[in-house]
Amino acid sequence: MFHKIKAVSLLPDDQLLVVFSEGVTKRYDIKPLFQTLPAFLDLQNIPSLFEQVVVDAGGYGISWNDDLDLSCDELWENGVAYASTLF
């Protein structure tokens, strides 16, 4: 099942706040990806790149550029529930 993404915003310390269409908000930590997927090191080494995150058309993922993206499933499964009233 797809959990469509409604919005994404930046949190301190290489983390994202992801709001899903069901109304669930999750915090996702990017740092573990630096160890397992070297391409994601660009997000750590180029601060302006991390800030360019957008929700993909349809809400099925997020991306920074053509090479760096994450699926809605990854964000849902590995995100941590976050109590927020931002959206």
Side-chain angles (χ1 to χ4, degrees):
M1 175 180 185
F2 287 107
H3 299 279
K4 286 186 172 184
I5 299 167
K6 182 177 175 182
V8 62
S9 59
L10 303 176
L11 291 172
D13 200 27
D14 299 316
Q15 296 184 58
L16 300 170
L17 189 65
V18 184
V19 179
F20 293 88
S21 59
E22 299 95 336
V24 174
T25 302
K26 293 196 175 193
R27 180 182 47 82
Y28 184 87
D29 189 353
I30 294 288
K31 288 186 296 299
L33 298 179
F34 299 156
Q35 302 296 321
T36 58
L37 300 169
F40 277 86
L41 283 172
D42 284 349
L43 296 176
Q44 185 179 36
N45 298 330
I46 308 170
S48 61
L49 180 59
F50 186 69
E51 296 168 1
Q52 295 176 25
V53 66
V54 295
V55 177
D56 291 340
Y60 295 106
I62 60 171
S63 61
W64 290 269
N65 58 32
D66 290 340
D67 298 321
L68 296 173
D69 58 25
L70 292 171
S71 72
C72 56
D73 289 338
E74 168 65 19
L75 296 164
W76 180 267
E77 294 293 326
N78 295 304
V80 177
Y82 188 89
S84 171
T85 57
L86 294 176
F87 300 95

